[in-house]
Every structure is written in structure tokens, then in C-alpha cells.
Amino acid sequence: MKYILLFFFFTSFVTMSQSIAWRQLSSAVLEEAKSENKIILLNLKANWCHWCHVMDDSTYSNLAVQEYIETHFIPVKADQDANPELSARYKEYGWPATIFINGNGEDVVKRAGYISPEPFLRLLKAIVADPSPEEETGFPTVLKASPDSDKSVLNDLQKAFENALDYEDGGFDQDQKFIENDTYEYALFNGKEVKIKNWIKTSVNGARKLCDPAWGGVYQYSTHDDWEHLHFEKLLSIQTRYLRIFHYFNLYFPEEETAQKEIDGILRYINRFFKHENGLYSNAQDADLVQGEHAEEYFRLGDKERMKLGVPKVDTNTYTYNNAELARSLLILSYGNEGDGSYARTSHKILESLAQRKASNNLYFHAAEKRKVWSLKDQIAMALLLIEELKANQNNKEVKELLNTFLSAVAKQFINENGSAKSFVGDNGLIAQPLIEENIQLARIFNWYSYFSNQKKYKVLAKGLFDYLIHPEIAKVYYSQPALLMLSKELNEAPLEFVFVRNGEGSSLSDKARSYAPFYSLFSDYSKDELPQEKEELFGDFEVNVLFACTANYCSSPMYDKGDVGEFFK
């Protein structure tokens, strides 16, 4: 019996101690896969993800799975937050996302979420038996779409936008409940129908239930097609999104219960748990107190009771894209926060720290660790932050020069010959593909900048991106893209320009307009004696502070106080 027990403990120790020799994705790994005729298994996970922990503890700890992987595959593990080019590429499949890649860099099989050991082992064996890709790889190079196809695709997108919404409960008509930024922006600034306005109110009231009553901050989403089944991870990117959502809700729906409590809760939470001395903020907090174990009972507790048990692990990495997004959100909040410059100061401190990540190629590194792969996701977030800085002060010469140099570098290094934009530059072994959401965002940025800078080449770049996106072959791969509807509209009209003429102290009128204004807006502030000649003829006769909203063809009635500004936007 003693020997049997010793054998049992020995074999148990071997089973528990054996682990997979995970690698990092690189060109060398791709070359090895090609030369050895093996498939790469990419385990793309997140530090804060409950089911990632479960899959580590069950599936990847299973001895049979480990042995089969080590024999037949090249195992690669990556943190999706640390690798935004992978996160953006495979976001529909995670997290965890399990991606199988051949030596040519082609995706063979992609699977979403947790897979238990036995089904996973069957999947591994099936791929070894038939390693051919499940789907076609690559992307079309034909660009020019006819006006008819433009109209057809845009009509389909409008229908898809309307059909995607859950008008009864808010959010999308799907299992997960949350508010997505582009959908909210399009609904807020372009949705004229009562049912769209009601959807916004229902969605925001639902999203209040995602807010942590003890610590503040917003959980990622709810499942079961309602707002009650919470997933408890808190991501900085989610906090920055809801800061803007709640801010605009307060402005455009003043008759509804204010969301200021939710805004204050987000700021209280991130300043308590995420803030670093250099002004940057951590990436995320885990959904689990004990990794791999559901923490629903823990999150029902109040602050003191939670603190006695401990705090879920915080991923303390400070990433560029979500810190840039936070800085932009804080700037937008600052416009309505008269007399208190704390939001703007915090935003500027974030920008100062992120400026240290600028590389010699004029692009921005993703993290403090200066990995030589530059994601378009990071560059877009930095561009949006710099644009917001110029909206706050169009005379900031330093930011003007910085944005000009930066966007020139982005155009030179990211734009493909077919007009699309690749998702990253640098070498991680994979071919950089154009991704839909990123191409839309970049096109909107280029188009806005073409008007701000009077550089027509950026309009041409924006139109090239649009032509790629609207091509019927590309349109097959997406369903609802409200940002593409916004891009289509923006390409066909000049941005709304707000002209503030200062005849006395203060700039509260223009700040009020900045609070309300959509992305596609320009701002010009002048004292009366600084007016350019073309504006002197229009605005030179006013003797008090006054604000105008101007299109290419006409200007609004003069706005003399905040009430006028609010009425204009309503």
C-alpha cells in the first residue's frame, strides 16, 4: 500500500508540475512552423478574464492536452492587452481566443471562449488531420466602388443599425448588454426618430446597473439579454467610454435623472485603484478575487467587507490607447467644469507621460516597454487626443506641429497601395491586415484634419479609405457599422465651425459648445481686434461676447448665453 501511495503522489506531481512551453509570436516562430510543417496554437488571453483563468487551470493543465500540443503544435501565448494588433485582429473571438495559424501566417481555425479539455483535444486532433483553413484568407485589392454600390451598402448599413438595437431593454438585441461608442454617437447626433431617443434613455438607464455601487466604476457587460448578470472585470477603456456616454446624456437629456453620480463613481474608482505617480492609469482589474473562481458574492459586499477579503488583482500596465482615450474624455468633461481645472490638468499630465513614448519614426509605442510593433489602434487614440487638444485651443502651435508630423507619419507608414490602412507596422510574424473599425476611425480623422489644416491630401486619403470600406466585397465582412454612416456624411460636407468672438472676460460660451459638440466640429476663438478680414465683415459689429455656428454656406443666429447654446444643440 505504501508503494501504491508513493506512486499515486509521484504521478500526481508529474501531472500537476508539467506545463506547456509557451512561446512568443515572431517571424522565427512562423519560419519554424513552416519548416517543421506544424500549426501554431495561439492562446490569446487577458489578465482580467475569468474564463481565461479557468481554461489555464483546466484545459491547459490537462496532461493529455499538454502532451498533444507539445508533440503536434507550436504553442504561443499572448496577452491581448499587451498586443493591440492581435487584440484588434481577433476581438470577435475572445477572450480567451484560440487561434491556429499555419507557417504562411494564415488563420486555419479560430475559436471563441472557454473550451473544456475533451472537446479541445478533439479539436486539436481534427486540425492535425486536416490543417487547411476553414475560411478564405487575405483581403480584396479592388478598390473603386460605383455610386450605386455606395448607395446600396449605406442603405443596408442604416437598416442594420436600426435592426441591431433592443428598443425594449436597451443596448443591442443580443445576449450581452452594454453600450458601444459608435452606436451611441450615431444615435445621439444623427438619430432623429423618437424611438432612437428612447433607445438612448433606456440604454443609459440600463447601463447604470453596470456601475459598482461600492467602489464606483463600470463593469464590462451583462449577459442573459438583461442588465442583471454582471461580468465583474473593470477595464480602463470601458471607464473612458462611459465617461463620455454619461456626459452627453446629461447634456442632451436634462429632463432625465442625471448620470453625474455615475461619472463621479468612475473617477473615484480609477483614481483609487488605477492611478500611477506619473499620471498614467492601470489597464484593468480582474473579475475574480481568486482567479478562476466566480466572485459574485464578493461584489455584493460593501467597501469595508471587500477590503477585509482582499482586492482583485489589478493589471498595472499602462497602455497608450486607453490612457489617451481617458485624457480625451477628461478634456471633454473639463469644458463643463467651470472654475475647476482638475480634469484638464489630469488630461495634460497623461499627455505629457504619453509623449515620452514617441519613437524615432514619429509613432507612439504601446507601453513603457518599447516593443517595435506599432499598432494603428494606439495611433488613432493619440490622434483623437491631439485633435481634442486643438479643439480646446486652436492656437496651440506645439500641438499643431506635433499633429501635423504625426499624421504625416501615420499616412506614410500605414496606408497600403489599395487605399486601406494596415493594422500595425513592425514585425510580429503576421501579415498586417486592414481592419474595418480602424480604417473608419482613421478616415474620419484624416477628413477632419483636411479642413483644420487646409491640406487636401488628407481628404484624398480619407476618400481612399472610404472607397475601400464601401466596396461590396469588403462590405460582406461587416454588419452594423454606424461609424461608416457618419464617415459617409462627413465626407460630403464641411464640419460645423463654432466661432467665438470675445468682447470681454471669459470663454464659457465656446466651452459650452465644446461640451455638446460632436467629433466633426471646428472651434475658433478670437478677441474682436484679432478677427481675420473674412470674419471681420461677419462678426465685427458685435460689442459683447457672442458665439456662432457656421457651415460652408450660412451661420446661425448669434448665441449670447449658455441657454442659447443649449437650445441650439437641442
Side-chain angles (χ1 to χ4, degrees):
M1 176 64 73
K2 178 172 69 174
Y3 295 107
I4 293 174
L5 288 173
L6 285 172
F7 176 77
F8 171 77
F9 285 126
F10 175 76
T11 55
S12 297
F13 175 77
V14 170
T15 301
M16 294 174 63
S17 63
Q18 182 169 334
S19 61
I20 298 169
W22 296 105
R23 310 269 294 276
Q24 288 187 335
L25 188 64
S26 66
S27 295
V29 167
L30 267 291
E31 291 172 6
E32 182 180 331
K34 194 169 187 177
S35 64
E36 296 184 7
N37 197 28
K38 283 187 174 181
I39 298 294
I40 295 166
L41 186 166
L42 172 60
N43 172 17
L44 192 56
K45 55 181 290 184
N47 291 337
W48 42 263
C49 163
H50 167 78
W51 287 109
C52 300
H53 303 324
V54 174
M55 195 157 176
D56 280 344
D57 294 341
S58 60
T59 305
Y60 288 123
S61 295
N62 180 278
L63 184 58
V65 169
Q66 291 176 346
E67 289 178 344
Y68 201 84
I69 288 173
E70 290 291 350
T71 302
H72 297 283
F73 293 86
I74 298 177
V76 170
K77 182 188 288 186
D79 174 5
Q80 64 91 19
D81 288 306
N83 297 270
E85 74 283 0
L86 298 179
S87 173
R89 183 179 182 128
Y90 298 118
K91 69 176 184 177
E92 295 179 8
Y93 294 90
W95 313 114
T98 305
I99 313 296
F100 296 89
I101 305 168
N102 64 26
N104 296 320
E106 299 170 321
D107 296 334
V108 174
V109 170
K110 295 175 280 193
R111 292 292 183 268
Y114 170 73
I115 309 173
S116 59
E118 289 186 6
F120 192 65
L121 191 56
R122 289 197 297 270
L123 176 63
L124 295 176
K125 291 178 179 179
I127 292 170
V128 169
D130 180 10
S132 57
E134 284 186 322
E135 303 172 355
E136 290 185 14
T137 59
F139 50 92
T141 57
V142 178
L143 290 179
K144 192 66 177 177
S146 70
D148 289 339
S149 65
D150 285 10
K151 185 176 181 180
S152 173
V153 169
L154 293 172
N155 286 340
D156 289 345
L157 281 175
Q158 181 63 39
K159 293 175 185 176
F161 163 75
E162 295 173 2
N163 292 336
L165 306 182
D166 183 339
Y167 294 99
E168 182 177 350
D169 297 319
F172 291 116
D173 189 14
Q174 63 180 34
D175 179 67
Q176 293 182 355
K177 288 297 181 189
F178 60 93
I179 304 177
E180 187 266 338
N181 185 75
D182 291 342
T183 301
Y184 184 83
E185 182 185 356
Y186 183 73
L188 184 66
F189 295 116
N190 297 277
K192 306 300 182 185
E193 298 179 30
V194 172
K195 70 175 184 178
I196 300 297
K197 300 300 182 185
N198 288 337
W199 174 83
I200 292 174
K201 292 187 279 189
T202 303
S203 297
V204 170
N205 287 328
R208 295 178 198 267
K209 298 179 182 179
L210 301 180
C211 296
D212 183 347
W215 285 345
V218 186
Y219 301 127
Q220 184 170 208
Y221 57 80
S222 174
T223 57
H224 294 70
D225 196 25
D226 62 34
W227 299 91
E228 310 291 340
H229 294 78
L230 305 174
H231 276 226
F232 295 105
E233 57 270 7
K234 289 180 184 170
L235 283 60
L236 181 60
S237 59
I238 300 294
Q239 313 311 310
T240 67
R241 181 205 308 166
Y242 280 100
L243 282 175
R244 296 192 300 275
I245 286 172
F246 291 137
H247 163 78
Y248 287 120
F249 182 77
N250 285 346
L251 289 176
Y252 280 90
F253 298 92
E255 72 281 2
E256 296 293 314
E257 179 186 353
T258 178
Q260 191 59 45
K261 180 179 72 173
E262 286 75 17
I263 291 173
D264 293 341
I266 292 171
L267 296 173
R268 183 174 68 251
Y269 170 75
I270 62 173
N271 284 323
R272 179 180 180 184
F273 291 100
F274 283 9
K275 192 169 186 178
H276 292 242
E277 288 186 4
N278 65 356
L280 297 180
Y281 287 75
S282 293
N283 178 56
Q285 186 174 47
D286 206 310
D288 304 338
L289 179 62
V290 178
Q291 291 188 342
E293 297 182 12
H294 280 294
E296 185 174 358
E297 294 300 322
Y298 172 85
F299 283 103
R300 287 178 179 169
L301 301 174
D303 177 35
K304 291 182 179 179
E305 290 77 11
R306 290 184 192 179
M307 296 305 293
K308 289 177 183 177
L309 296 174
V311 176
K313 186 177 180 181
V314 172
D315 176 1
T316 58
N317 287 295
T318 58
Y319 295 126
T320 295
Y321 75 91
N322 51 19
N323 272 276
E325 280 290 289
L326 175 59
R328 180 166 72 98
S329 294
L330 290 171
L331 265 186
I332 292 170
L333 288 179
S334 74
Y335 302 140
N337 198 32
E338 287 184 62
D340 181 359
S342 59
Y343 292 159
R345 286 194 298 272
T346 302
S347 176
H348 293 149
K349 188 168 184 180
I350 292 172
L351 179 55
E352 287 175 6
S353 291
L354 293 178
Q356 305 305 312
R357 296 182 176 180
K358 187 178 179 182
S360 58
N361 60 5
N362 289 314
L363 303 178
Y364 289 87
F365 289 110
H366 176 57
E369 178 188 355
K370 296 180 177 179
R371 188 172 66 101
K372 292 187 177 181
V373 175
W374 292 270
S375 75
L376 185 54
K377 185 176 182 179
D378 286 314
Q379 314 315 314
I380 286 170
M382 286 300 300
L384 289 171
L385 172 55
L386 294 174
I387 286 171
E388 199 62 50
E389 285 279 349
L390 288 176
K391 288 182 181 180
N393 179 8
Q394 84 275 13
N395 296 317
N396 189 326
K397 292 182 179 180
E398 181 181 356
V399 175
K400 272 186 179 180
E401 293 173 2
L402 181 61
L403 184 60
N404 184 57
T405 303
F406 175 46
L407 289 183
S408 178
V410 170
K412 181 178 180 180
Q413 297 177 64
F414 282 91
I415 298 298
N416 294 313
E417 289 184 9
N418 67 0
S420 65
K422 63 186 73 173
S423 59
F424 66 90
V425 296
D427 185 11
N428 67 1
L430 298 178
I431 297 172
Q433 298 177 350
L435 302 178
I436 301 301
E437 289 84 357
E438 292 178 349
N439 275 244
I440 297 171
Q441 287 179 302
L442 185 61
R444 295 183 72 194
I445 288 167
F446 280 161
N447 186 53
W448 179 91
Y449 190 64
S450 72
Y451 287 97
F452 178 85
S453 66
N454 292 314
Q455 296 184 62
K456 292 182 180 179
K457 66 179 181 180
Y458 288 101
K459 185 78 170 184
V460 173
L461 288 169
K463 188 62 169 64
L465 286 158
F466 178 78
D467 286 344
Y468 171 81
L469 291 160
I470 211 71
H471 191 278
E473 289 300 311
I474 301 300
K476 289 178 182 178
V477 306
Y478 55 78
Y479 172 62
S480 178
Q481 288 292 343
L484 188 51
L485 292 170
M486 290 186 280
L487 171 61
S488 175
K489 182 180 179 182
E490 291 163 5
L491 282 169
N492 288 291
E493 60 187 36
L496 193 62
E497 182 180 8
F498 293 90
V499 180
F500 178 62
V501 182
R502 187 184 304 106
N503 286 278
E505 293 296 322
S507 60
S508 59
L509 286 182
S510 55
D511 280 346
K512 187 71 172 178
R514 289 182 180 95
S515 290
Y516 277 95
F519 164 74
Y520 198 52
S521 305
L522 296 172
F523 292 87
S524 301
D525 288 17
Y526 303 100
S527 63
K528 185 175 179 180
D529 57 0
E530 294 174 338
L531 281 169
Q533 184 175 355
E534 69 275 10
K535 288 184 168 57
E536 172 72 31
E537 297 174 2
L538 293 171
F539 312 124
D541 292 337
F542 290 88
E543 300 296 333
V544 295
N545 288 350
V546 63
L547 178 73
F548 296 88
C550 299
T551 69
N553 301 315
Y554 70 92
C555 288
S556 69
S557 300
M559 291 174 265
Y560 296 106
D561 56 40
K562 295 178 186 177
D564 291 341
V565 177
E567 286 301 315
F568 170 82
F569 281 99
K570 290 177 187 177

